Amino acid sequence: MLGHITDPSTPHGLVRRELPEPEPGDHDVVVGVGAYAVNRGELNLLADRADGWTPGQDVAGVVVRAAADGTGPAEGTRVVGGADQGAWSERVAVPTHRVAAIPDDVSFAQAASLPVAGLTALRALRVGGSLLGRRVLVTGASGGVGSFAVQLAAAAGARVTALVSGPHRVAEVEALGAAEVVTAVDEQTGPFDVALDGVGGGVLTDVVHRLAPGGTVVAYGVAGGEPESELAFFDFGSAPLARLVGFFVYATGEETFGDDLAVLAEMISAGRLDPKLGVVRDWAETVEAVDALRQRQATGKVVLTVS
Ligand SMILES: NC(=O)c1ccc[n+]([C@@H]2O[C@H](COP(=O)([O-])OP(=O)(O)OC[C@H]3O[C@@H](n4cnc5c(N)ncnc54)[C@H](OP(=O)(O)O)[C@@H]3O)[C@@H](O)[C@H]2O)c1
């Protein structure tokens, strides 16, 4: 089968070529890939695993081989799933607990946007507790995780303030249901009961300064690329008993990823969640799509389709 593999001898360090078929464990289905998404975290992995690594976590497609242990969907089922690696290929093995069937009216491109970004947004918001009537701040709001978080928080009844990198992102994020879109977190914004931060650095410090007493900031990423925030005791001076939570989606119970993927896919089908697909290209253009993400040209998710 064809698939992508890192190879430092090639011009982009990533090449599509003939690869061995996946070797599923007893608990894995094999998915015939219809679409996959690229995550910012994978950009670092491409550099760290530059020789002989097969990238790809987020995948949607059709089950072409059911799991030997009898768990998970039958052959022919349209699914979304989160693989360990190898999803930028024609076929990939995925553990059945990280797979969900998708409704017929959800496209492979929409579904492929869900695993890492959608699960991170959903589960990071859950850390903040009930969102009904609460003031929620989402940073990096035009990004993969952020664009899901804005919509999910609004759907849960929160009043959402969205931070974007500049005026060119405002209209797109307003359309996601944010009550307010800002380009800086300052004295004019907040205070917030819950904040999700995927930017890090000085933005994380600004967010802590605008928390309400007892508020929660869930820090899940450093997309801003700045050095880490140098937070100290007095940064919490206006928000006594506030808490800062370091969030890692794989530490939140991956055995139920499939259940939550089903929830998100149903929300798309019901018109309550609209995956922001910033770049959708044929998978022959994976190198260019990866570059678009690296250059911060995309809003929302970067998705490749496999025909
Ligand atoms: N902990 C976990 O389990 C977990 C899970 C998923 C992702 N992550 C991490 O979370 C981060 C975000 O992931 P993602 O997939 O959402 O990335 P993404 O799609 O690239 O989105 C990043 C967002 O941050 C914005 N941004 C960057 N610098 C900014 C700044 N200085 N001020 C305001 N906004 C800024 C970008 O805006 P522009 O495009 O306009 O520049 C974009 O909207 C990454 O660091 C990723 O590795 C962690």
Side-chain angles (χ1 to χ4, degrees):
M1 67 164 188
L2 283 177
H4 287 84
I5 188 165
T6 55
D7 181 344
S9 71
T10 60
H12 301 283
L14 177 71
V15 66
R16 187 172 71 167
R17 67 164 64 121
E18 201 61 34
L19 296 176
E21 289 287 335
E23 294 180 8
D26 285 353
H27 188 57
D28 296 340
V29 289
V30 177
V31 177
V33 178
Y36 54 83
V38 181
N39 289 292
R40 182 156 295 279
E42 289 172 303
L43 302 182
N44 298 331
L45 293 177
L46 286 171
D48 293 347
R49 302 174 184 177
D51 194 0
W53 180 59
T54 54
Q57 296 171 288
D58 294 352
V59 63
V62 175
V63 174
V64 293
R65 180 167 157 183
D69 68 1
T71 63
E75 284 174 22
T77 309
R78 298 175 77 247
V79 294
V80 59
D84 283 327
Q85 63 178 69
W88 300 2
S89 303
E90 287 182 290
R91 284 172 286 283
V92 64
V94 189
T96 57
H97 60 267
R98 291 198 220 138
V99 167
I102 56 174
D104 288 342
D105 57 358
V106 174
S107 71
F108 290 143
Q110 289 175 315
S113 72
L114 288 174
V116 170
L119 290 172
T120 298
L122 177 69
R123 292 186 170 197
L125 286 169
R126 283 180 181 156
V127 171
S130 169
L131 299 178
L132 187 59
R134 302 186 81 196
R135 299 158 297 183
V136 172
L137 171 66
V138 175
T139 74
S142 67
V145 178
S147 59
F148 282 123
V150 169
Q151 295 180 69
L152 292 171
R159 182 188 189 280
V160 181
T161 297
L163 173 72
V164 295
S165 65
H168 62 300
R169 298 292 198 208
V170 170
E172 286 164 307
V173 174
E174 272 174 351
L176 299 177
E180 176 185 40
V181 182
V182 298
T183 55
V185 177
D186 55 23
E187 311 77 52
Q188 314 304 318
T189 51
F192 300 104
D193 303 303
V194 177
L196 258 57
D197 178 48
V199 176
V203 169
L204 177 57
T205 308
D206 293 343
V207 170
V208 169
H209 291 168
R210 300 309 302 151
L211 282 179
T216 300
V217 55
V218 185
Y220 68 86
V222 287
E226 279 184 50
E228 271 305 271
S229 170
E230 292 184 7
L231 282 169
F233 171 68
F234 284 113
D235 287 302
F236 291 85
S238 59
L241 300 183
R243 61 188 182 128
L244 167 61
V245 178
F247 179 90
F248 296 86
V249 70
Y250 276 89
T252 61
E254 67 154 279
E255 64 280 2
T256 52
F257 275 5
D259 298 341
D260 280 345
L261 286 173
V263 168
L264 293 168
E266 285 295 339
M267 286 185 73
I268 296 174
S269 177
R272 295 171 59 222
L273 184 65
D274 182 14
K276 196 81 194 153
L277 305 183
V279 173
V280 182
R281 295 193 189 177
D282 183 86
W283 73 311
E285 298 175 48
T286 296
V287 167
E288 292 79 4
V290 167
D291 212 41
L293 182 62
R294 193 175 277 121
Q295 304 298 329
R296 294 171 62 177
Q297 288 167 359
T299 303
K301 293 299 301 177
V302 170
V303 174
L304 287 307
T305 57
V306 180
S307 44

PDB file of all heavy atoms in Angstrom, residues 186-223:
ATOM      1  N   ASP A 186      -6.602  41.641  28.202  1.00  0.00           N
ATOM      2  CA  ASP A 186      -6.155  42.750  29.051  1.00  0.00           C
ATOM      3  C   ASP A 186      -7.249  43.123  30.043  1.00  0.00           C
ATOM      4  O   ASP A 186      -8.227  42.377  30.205  1.00  0.00           O
ATOM      5  CB  ASP A 186      -5.745  43.953  28.188  1.00  0.00           C
ATOM      6  CG  ASP A 186      -6.871  44.367  27.236  1.00  0.00           C
ATOM      7  OD1 ASP A 186      -8.052  44.061  27.525  1.00  0.00           O
ATOM      8  OD2 ASP A 186      -6.575  44.985  26.188  1.00  0.00           O
ATOM      9  N   GLU A 187      -7.115  44.295  30.679  1.00  0.00           N
ATOM     10  CA  GLU A 187      -8.059  44.696  31.732  1.00  0.00           C
ATOM     11  C   GLU A 187      -9.483  44.845  31.209  1.00  0.00           C
ATOM     12  O   GLU A 187     -10.444  44.837  31.986  1.00  0.00           O
ATOM     13  CB  GLU A 187      -7.645  46.033  32.379  1.00  0.00           C
ATOM     14  CG  GLU A 187      -6.192  46.146  32.807  1.00  0.00           C
ATOM     15  CD  GLU A 187      -5.279  46.387  31.624  1.00  0.00           C
ATOM     16  OE1 GLU A 187      -5.531  47.319  30.848  1.00  0.00           O
ATOM     17  OE2 GLU A 187      -4.318  45.602  31.452  1.00  0.00           O
ATOM     18  N   GLN A 188      -9.627  45.008  29.873  1.00  0.00           N
ATOM     19  CA  GLN A 188     -10.978  45.156  29.302  1.00  0.00           C
ATOM     20  C   GLN A 188     -11.696  43.810  29.209  1.00  0.00           C
ATOM     21  O   GLN A 188     -12.908  43.781  28.941  1.00  0.00           O
ATOM     22  CB  GLN A 188     -10.913  45.743  27.875  1.00  0.00           C
ATOM     23  CG  GLN A 188      -9.988  46.942  27.705  1.00  0.00           C
ATOM     24  CD  GLN A 188     -10.338  48.067  28.652  1.00  0.00           C
ATOM     25  OE1 GLN A 188     -11.507  48.374  28.843  1.00  0.00           O
ATOM     26  NE2 GLN A 188      -9.333  48.666  29.275  1.00  0.00           N
ATOM     27  N   THR A 189     -10.994  42.706  29.383  1.00  0.00           N
ATOM     28  CA  THR A 189     -11.598  41.376  29.176  1.00  0.00           C
ATOM     29  C   THR A 189     -11.768  40.667  30.519  1.00  0.00           C
ATOM     30  O   THR A 189     -11.006  40.879  31.458  1.00  0.00           O
ATOM     31  CB  THR A 189     -10.729  40.497  28.269  1.00  0.00           C
ATOM     32  OG1 THR A 189      -9.395  40.503  28.759  1.00  0.00           O
ATOM     33  CG2 THR A 189     -10.746  40.982  26.841  1.00  0.00           C
ATOM     34  N   GLY A 190     -12.795  39.812  30.571  1.00  0.00           N
ATOM     35  CA  GLY A 190     -13.018  38.996  31.755  1.00  0.00           C
ATOM     36  C   GLY A 190     -13.688  39.750  32.879  1.00  0.00           C
ATOM     37  O   GLY A 190     -14.258  40.819  32.637  1.00  0.00           O
ATOM     38  N   PRO A 191     -13.649  39.223  34.103  1.00  0.00           N
ATOM     39  CA  PRO A 191     -12.928  38.015  34.507  1.00  0.00           C
ATOM     40  C   PRO A 191     -13.630  36.740  34.021  1.00  0.00           C
ATOM     41  O   PRO A 191     -14.811  36.764  33.695  1.00  0.00           O
ATOM     42  CB  PRO A 191     -12.943  38.103  36.040  1.00  0.00           C
ATOM     43  CG  PRO A 191     -14.187  38.884  36.346  1.00  0.00           C
ATOM     44  CD  PRO A 191     -14.361  39.860  35.225  1.00  0.00           C
ATOM     45  N   PHE A 192     -12.871  35.647  34.018  1.00  0.00           N
ATOM     46  CA  PHE A 192     -13.350  34.386  33.464  1.00  0.00           C
ATOM     47  C   PHE A 192     -13.416  33.299  34.543  1.00  0.00           C
ATOM     48  O   PHE A 192     -12.513  33.171  35.367  1.00  0.00           O
ATOM     49  CB  PHE A 192     -12.431  33.921  32.327  1.00  0.00           C
ATOM     50  CG  PHE A 192     -12.375  34.921  31.206  1.00  0.00           C
ATOM     51  CD1 PHE A 192     -11.267  35.747  31.056  1.00  0.00           C
ATOM     52  CD2 PHE A 192     -13.432  35.060  30.330  1.00  0.00           C
ATOM     53  CE1 PHE A 192     -11.223  36.685  30.038  1.00  0.00           C
ATOM     54  CE2 PHE A 192     -13.400  36.002  29.305  1.00  0.00           C
ATOM     55  CZ  PHE A 192     -12.292  36.813  29.158  1.00  0.00           C
ATOM     56  N   ASP A 193     -14.478  32.508  34.448  1.00  0.00           N
ATOM     57  CA  ASP A 193     -14.600  31.358  35.347  1.00  0.00           C
ATOM     58  C   ASP A 193     -13.731  30.205  34.873  1.00  0.00           C
ATOM     59  O   ASP A 193     -13.176  29.450  35.678  1.00  0.00           O
ATOM     60  CB  ASP A 193     -16.065  30.892  35.395  1.00  0.00           C
ATOM     61  CG  ASP A 193     -17.001  32.009  35.822  1.00  0.00           C
ATOM     62  OD1 ASP A 193     -16.783  32.556  36.917  1.00  0.00           O
ATOM     63  OD2 ASP A 193     -17.911  32.347  35.038  1.00  0.00           O
ATOM     64  N   VAL A 194     -13.657  30.050  33.543  1.00  0.00           N
ATOM     65  CA  VAL A 194     -12.891  28.953  32.939  1.00  0.00           C
ATOM     66  C   VAL A 194     -12.134  29.507  31.737  1.00  0.00           C
ATOM     67  O   VAL A 194     -12.689  30.316  30.975  1.00  0.00           O
ATOM     68  CB  VAL A 194     -13.825  27.809  32.454  1.00  0.00           C
ATOM     69  CG1 VAL A 194     -13.023  26.712  31.767  1.00  0.00           C
ATOM     70  CG2 VAL A 194     -14.628  27.243  33.616  1.00  0.00           C
ATOM     71  N   ALA A 195     -10.875  29.114  31.586  1.00  0.00           N
ATOM     72  CA  ALA A 195     -10.111  29.504  30.401  1.00  0.00           C
ATOM     73  C   ALA A 195      -9.380  28.286  29.858  1.00  0.00           C
ATOM     74  O   ALA A 195      -8.850  27.473  30.628  1.00  0.00           O
ATOM     75  CB  ALA A 195      -9.112  30.608  30.752  1.00  0.00           C
ATOM     76  N   LEU A 196      -9.375  28.167  28.525  1.00  0.00           N
ATOM     77  CA  LEU A 196      -8.579  27.126  27.855  1.00  0.00           C
ATOM     78  C   LEU A 196      -7.461  27.824  27.115  1.00  0.00           C
ATOM     79  O   LEU A 196      -7.721  28.699  26.276  1.00  0.00           O
ATOM     80  CB  LEU A 196      -9.446  26.382  26.832  1.00  0.00           C
ATOM     81  CG  LEU A 196      -9.990  25.009  27.216  1.00  0.00           C
ATOM     82  CD1 LEU A 196     -10.797  25.114  28.495  1.00  0.00           C
ATOM     83  CD2 LEU A 196     -10.822  24.432  26.089  1.00  0.00           C
ATOM     84  N   ASP A 197      -6.222  27.452  27.403  1.00  0.00           N
ATOM     85  CA  ASP A 197      -5.098  28.111  26.736  1.00  0.00           C
ATOM     86  C   ASP A 197      -4.225  27.117  25.978  1.00  0.00           C
ATOM     87  O   ASP A 197      -3.624  26.226  26.580  1.00  0.00           O
ATOM     88  CB  ASP A 197      -4.226  28.874  27.741  1.00  0.00           C
ATOM     89  CG  ASP A 197      -3.036  29.499  27.019  1.00  0.00           C
ATOM     90  OD1 ASP A 197      -3.268  30.142  25.969  1.00  0.00           O
ATOM     91  OD2 ASP A 197      -1.892  29.307  27.468  1.00  0.00           O
ATOM     92  N   GLY A 198      -4.143  27.328  24.651  1.00  0.00           N
ATOM     93  CA  GLY A 198      -3.263  26.516  23.810  1.00  0.00           C
ATOM     94  C   GLY A 198      -2.129  27.324  23.224  1.00  0.00           C
ATOM     95  O   GLY A 198      -1.392  26.829  22.377  1.00  0.00           O
ATOM     96  N   VAL A 199      -1.968  28.583  23.668  1.00  0.00           N
ATOM     97  CA  VAL A 199      -0.937  29.463  23.109  1.00  0.00           C
ATOM     98  C   VAL A 199       0.308  29.495  23.990  1.00  0.00           C
ATOM     99  O   VAL A 199       1.441  29.407  23.520  1.00  0.00           O
ATOM    100  CB  VAL A 199      -1.506  30.888  22.886  1.00  0.00           C
ATOM    101  CG1 VAL A 199      -0.415  31.836  22.409  1.00  0.00           C
ATOM    102  CG2 VAL A 199      -2.639  30.847  21.872  1.00  0.00           C
ATOM    103  N   GLY A 200       0.097  29.623  25.302  1.00  0.00           N
ATOM    104  CA  GLY A 200       1.218  29.591  26.241  1.00  0.00           C
ATOM    105  C   GLY A 200       2.000  30.895  26.305  1.00  0.00           C
ATOM    106  O   GLY A 200       1.560  31.939  25.811  1.00  0.00           O
ATOM    107  N   GLY A 201       3.178  30.859  26.948  1.00  0.00           N
ATOM    108  CA  GLY A 201       4.039  32.030  27.078  1.00  0.00           C
ATOM    109  C   GLY A 201       3.328  33.168  27.790  1.00  0.00           C
ATOM    110  O   GLY A 201       2.591  32.972  28.764  1.00  0.00           O
ATOM    111  N   GLY A 202       3.543  34.413  27.275  1.00  0.00           N
ATOM    112  CA  GLY A 202       2.935  35.593  27.909  1.00  0.00           C
ATOM    113  C   GLY A 202       1.422  35.552  27.893  1.00  0.00           C
ATOM    114  O   GLY A 202       0.765  36.134  28.770  1.00  0.00           O
ATOM    115  N   VAL A 203       0.836  34.863  26.904  1.00  0.00           N
ATOM    116  CA  VAL A 203      -0.632  34.765  26.843  1.00  0.00           C
ATOM    117  C   VAL A 203      -1.154  34.016  28.068  1.00  0.00           C
ATOM    118  O   VAL A 203      -2.157  34.407  28.678  1.00  0.00           O
ATOM    119  CB  VAL A 203      -1.084  34.087  25.527  1.00  0.00           C
ATOM    120  CG1 VAL A 203      -2.566  33.734  25.569  1.00  0.00           C
ATOM    121  CG2 VAL A 203      -0.787  34.998  24.343  1.00  0.00           C
ATOM    122  N   LEU A 204      -0.466  32.957  28.467  1.00  0.00           N
ATOM    123  CA  LEU A 204      -0.905  32.204  29.652  1.00  0.00           C
ATOM    124  C   LEU A 204      -0.855  33.093  30.897  1.00  0.00           C
ATOM    125  O   LEU A 204      -1.774  33.071  31.724  1.00  0.00           O
ATOM    126  CB  LEU A 204      -0.039  30.951  29.837  1.00  0.00           C
ATOM    127  CG  LEU A 204      -0.338  30.117  31.088  1.00  0.00           C
ATOM    128  CD1 LEU A 204      -1.791  29.667  31.141  1.00  0.00           C
ATOM    129  CD2 LEU A 204       0.598  28.904  31.156  1.00  0.00           C
ATOM    130  N   THR A 205       0.184  33.899  31.016  1.00  0.00           N
ATOM    131  CA  THR A 205       0.268  34.816  32.161  1.00  0.00           C
ATOM    132  C   THR A 205      -0.897  35.800  32.134  1.00  0.00           C
ATOM    133  O   THR A 205      -1.556  36.040  33.159  1.00  0.00           O
ATOM    134  CB  THR A 205       1.607  35.585  32.129  1.00  0.00           C
ATOM    135  OG1 THR A 205       2.668  34.648  32.000  1.00  0.00           O
ATOM    136  CG2 THR A 205       1.796  36.412  33.392  1.00  0.00           C
ATOM    137  N   ASP A 206      -1.175  36.377  30.954  1.00  0.00           N
ATOM    138  CA  ASP A 206      -2.299  37.319  30.825  1.00  0.00           C
ATOM    139  C   ASP A 206      -3.615  36.646  31.230  1.00  0.00           C
ATOM    140  O   ASP A 206      -4.469  37.269  31.870  1.00  0.00           O
ATOM    141  CB  ASP A 206      -2.428  37.815  29.376  1.00  0.00           C
ATOM    142  CG  ASP A 206      -1.255  38.681  28.950  1.00  0.00           C
ATOM    143  OD1 ASP A 206      -0.517  39.173  29.829  1.00  0.00           O
ATOM    144  OD2 ASP A 206      -1.084  38.859  27.719  1.00  0.00           O
ATOM    145  N   VAL A 207      -3.775  35.393  30.835  1.00  0.00           N
ATOM    146  CA  VAL A 207      -5.020  34.678  31.132  1.00  0.00           C
ATOM    147  C   VAL A 207      -5.186  34.518  32.644  1.00  0.00           C
ATOM    148  O   VAL A 207      -6.276  34.760  33.197  1.00  0.00           O
ATOM    149  CB  VAL A 207      -5.029  33.299  30.429  1.00  0.00           C
ATOM    150  CG1 VAL A 207      -6.196  32.454  30.921  1.00  0.00           C
ATOM    151  CG2 VAL A 207      -5.101  33.471  28.913  1.00  0.00           C
ATOM    152  N   VAL A 208      -4.125  34.140  33.330  1.00  0.00           N
ATOM    153  CA  VAL A 208      -4.211  33.974  34.785  1.00  0.00           C
ATOM    154  C   VAL A 208      -4.610  35.297  35.437  1.00  0.00           C
ATOM    155  O   VAL A 208      -5.422  35.329  36.374  1.00  0.00           O
ATOM    156  CB  VAL A 208      -2.871  33.446  35.345  1.00  0.00           C
ATOM    157  CG1 VAL A 208      -2.838  33.532  36.870  1.00  0.00           C
ATOM    158  CG2 VAL A 208      -2.645  32.009  34.881  1.00  0.00           C
ATOM    159  N   HIS A 209      -4.085  36.405  34.928  1.00  0.00           N
ATOM    160  CA  HIS A 209      -4.413  37.722  35.498  1.00  0.00           C
ATOM    161  C   HIS A 209      -5.888  38.072  35.342  1.00  0.00           C
ATOM    162  O   HIS A 209      -6.399  38.930  36.054  1.00  0.00           O
ATOM    163  CB  HIS A 209      -3.571  38.814  34.815  1.00  0.00           C
ATOM    164  CG  HIS A 209      -2.117  38.724  35.154  1.00  0.00           C
ATOM    165  ND1 HIS A 209      -1.148  39.435  34.486  1.00  0.00           N
ATOM    166  CD2 HIS A 209      -1.461  37.996  36.092  1.00  0.00           C
ATOM    167  CE1 HIS A 209       0.047  39.152  34.996  1.00  0.00           C
ATOM    168  NE2 HIS A 209      -0.121  38.282  35.971  1.00  0.00           N
ATOM    169  N   ARG A 210      -6.573  37.441  34.392  1.00  0.00           N
ATOM    170  CA  ARG A 210      -7.981  37.776  34.145  1.00  0.00           C
ATOM    171  C   ARG A 210      -8.946  36.681  34.618  1.00  0.00           C
ATOM    172  O   ARG A 210     -10.121  36.677  34.243  1.00  0.00           O
ATOM    173  CB  ARG A 210      -8.212  38.059  32.644  1.00  0.00           C
ATOM    174  CG  ARG A 210      -7.397  39.215  32.100  1.00  0.00           C
ATOM    175  CD  ARG A 210      -7.522  40.491  32.940  1.00  0.00           C
ATOM    176  NE  ARG A 210      -8.890  40.945  33.047  1.00  0.00           N
ATOM    177  CZ  ARG A 210      -9.383  41.639  34.085  1.00  0.00           C
ATOM    178  NH1 ARG A 210      -8.618  41.928  35.116  1.00  0.00           N
ATOM    179  NH2 ARG A 210     -10.649  42.011  34.093  1.00  0.00           N
ATOM    180  N   LEU A 211      -8.461  35.783  35.479  1.00  0.00           N
ATOM    181  CA  LEU A 211      -9.352  34.767  36.046  1.00  0.00           C
ATOM    182  C   LEU A 211     -10.197  35.365  37.155  1.00  0.00           C
ATOM    183  O   LEU A 211      -9.754  36.273  37.874  1.00  0.00           O
ATOM    184  CB  LEU A 211      -8.525  33.618  36.651  1.00  0.00           C
ATOM    185  CG  LEU A 211      -7.936  32.588  35.696  1.00  0.00           C
ATOM    186  CD1 LEU A 211      -7.136  31.567  36.502  1.00  0.00           C
ATOM    187  CD2 LEU A 211      -9.016  31.900  34.878  1.00  0.00           C
ATOM    188  N   ALA A 212     -11.395  34.820  37.321  1.00  0.00           N
ATOM    189  CA  ALA A 212     -12.230  35.160  38.470  1.00  0.00           C
ATOM    190  C   ALA A 212     -11.716  34.371  39.683  1.00  0.00           C
ATOM    191  O   ALA A 212     -11.085  33.320  39.523  1.00  0.00           O
ATOM    192  CB  ALA A 212     -13.681  34.781  38.175  1.00  0.00           C
ATOM    193  N   PRO A 213     -11.978  34.858  40.881  1.00  0.00           N
ATOM    194  CA  PRO A 213     -11.621  34.066  42.068  1.00  0.00           C
ATOM    195  C   PRO A 213     -12.163  32.647  41.948  1.00  0.00           C
ATOM    196  O   PRO A 213     -13.325  32.449  41.572  1.00  0.00           O
ATOM    197  CB  PRO A 213     -12.289  34.838  43.215  1.00  0.00           C
ATOM    198  CG  PRO A 213     -12.339  36.253  42.722  1.00  0.00           C
ATOM    199  CD  PRO A 213     -12.600  36.147  41.236  1.00  0.00           C
ATOM    200  N   GLY A 214     -11.322  31.671  42.232  1.00  0.00           N
ATOM    201  CA  GLY A 214     -11.741  30.272  42.139  1.00  0.00           C
ATOM    202  C   GLY A 214     -11.835  29.748  40.720  1.00  0.00           C
ATOM    203  O   GLY A 214     -12.255  28.606  40.503  1.00  0.00           O
ATOM    204  N   GLY A 215     -11.432  30.563  39.742  1.00  0.00           N
ATOM    205  CA  GLY A 215     -11.512  30.144  38.344  1.00  0.00           C
ATOM    206  C   GLY A 215     -10.492  29.059  38.001  1.00  0.00           C
ATOM    207  O   GLY A 215      -9.600  28.739  38.788  1.00  0.00           O
ATOM    208  N   THR A 216     -10.645  28.515  36.790  1.00  0.00           N
ATOM    209  CA  THR A 216      -9.757  27.431  36.342  1.00  0.00           C
ATOM    210  C   THR A 216      -9.186  27.767  34.983  1.00  0.00           C
ATOM    211  O   THR A 216      -9.947  28.100  34.067  1.00  0.00           O
ATOM    212  CB  THR A 216     -10.543  26.104  36.212  1.00  0.00           C
ATOM    213  OG1 THR A 216     -11.098  25.770  37.479  1.00  0.00           O
ATOM    214  CG2 THR A 216      -9.645  24.967  35.737  1.00  0.00           C
ATOM    215  N   VAL A 217      -7.870  27.696  34.843  1.00  0.00           N
ATOM    216  CA  VAL A 217      -7.280  27.777  33.515  1.00  0.00           C
ATOM    217  C   VAL A 217      -6.697  26.412  33.166  1.00  0.00           C
ATOM    218  O   VAL A 217      -5.950  25.817  33.952  1.00  0.00           O
ATOM    219  CB  VAL A 217      -6.219  28.904  33.384  1.00  0.00           C
ATOM    220  CG1 VAL A 217      -5.129  28.804  34.424  1.00  0.00           C
ATOM    221  CG2 VAL A 217      -5.603  28.914  31.991  1.00  0.00           C
ATOM    222  N   VAL A 218      -7.109  25.900  32.018  1.00  0.00           N
ATOM    223  CA  VAL A 218      -6.653  24.600  31.536  1.00  0.00           C
ATOM    224  C   VAL A 218      -5.618  24.876  30.444  1.00  0.00           C
ATOM    225  O   VAL A 218      -5.963  25.367  29.364  1.00  0.00           O
ATOM    226  CB  VAL A 218      -7.831  23.770  30.978  1.00  0.00           C
ATOM    227  CG1 VAL A 218      -7.353  22.378  30.587  1.00  0.00           C
ATOM    228  CG2 VAL A 218      -8.962  23.703  31.986  1.00  0.00           C
ATOM    229  N   ALA A 219      -4.367  24.604  30.732  1.00  0.00           N
ATOM    230  CA  ALA A 219      -3.283  24.877  29.783  1.00  0.00           C
ATOM    231  C   ALA A 219      -2.960  23.592  29.041  1.00  0.00           C
ATOM    232  O   ALA A 219      -2.585  22.588  29.650  1.00  0.00           O
ATOM    233  CB  ALA A 219      -2.048  25.374  30.532  1.00  0.00           C
ATOM    234  N   TYR A 220      -3.152  23.626  27.717  1.00  0.00           N
ATOM    235  CA  TYR A 220      -2.954  22.384  26.959  1.00  0.00           C
ATOM    236  C   TYR A 220      -1.921  22.507  25.845  1.00  0.00           C
ATOM    237  O   TYR A 220      -1.580  21.511  25.207  1.00  0.00           O
ATOM    238  CB  TYR A 220      -4.286  21.872  26.381  1.00  0.00           C
ATOM    239  CG  TYR A 220      -4.848  22.749  25.298  1.00  0.00           C
ATOM    240  CD1 TYR A 220      -4.447  22.585  23.975  1.00  0.00           C
ATOM    241  CD2 TYR A 220      -5.763  23.746  25.587  1.00  0.00           C
ATOM    242  CE1 TYR A 220      -4.934  23.403  22.976  1.00  0.00           C
ATOM    243  CE2 TYR A 220      -6.265  24.568  24.594  1.00  0.00           C
ATOM    244  CZ  TYR A 220      -5.845  24.393  23.295  1.00  0.00           C
ATOM    245  OH  TYR A 220      -6.320  25.212  22.302  1.00  0.00           O
ATOM    246  N   GLY A 221      -1.393  23.719  25.570  1.00  0.00           N
ATOM    247  CA  GLY A 221      -0.455  23.803  24.448  1.00  0.00           C
ATOM    248  C   GLY A 221       0.354  25.078  24.457  1.00  0.00           C
ATOM    249  O   GLY A 221       0.142  25.986  25.273  1.00  0.00           O
ATOM    250  N   VAL A 222       1.309  25.128  23.531  1.00  0.00           N
ATOM    251  CA  VAL A 222       2.234  26.272  23.420  1.00  0.00           C
ATOM    252  C   VAL A 222       2.374  26.671  21.951  1.00  0.00           C
ATOM    253  O   VAL A 222       3.470  26.835  21.429  1.00  0.00           O
ATOM    254  CB  VAL A 222       3.616  25.939  24.032  1.00  0.00           C
ATOM    255  CG1 VAL A 222       3.534  25.902  25.543  1.00  0.00           C
ATOM    256  CG2 VAL A 222       4.165  24.618  23.493  1.00  0.00           C
ATOM    257  N   ALA A 223       1.225  26.853  21.284  1.00  0.00           N
ATOM    258  CA  ALA A 223       1.258  27.154  19.853  1.00  0.00           C
ATOM    259  C   ALA A 223       1.935  28.479  19.556  1.00  0.00           C
ATOM    260  O   ALA A 223       2.381  28.717  18.436  1.00  0.00           O
ATOM    261  CB  ALA A 223      -0.167  27.165  19.292  1.00  0.00           C
TER     262      ALA A 223
END
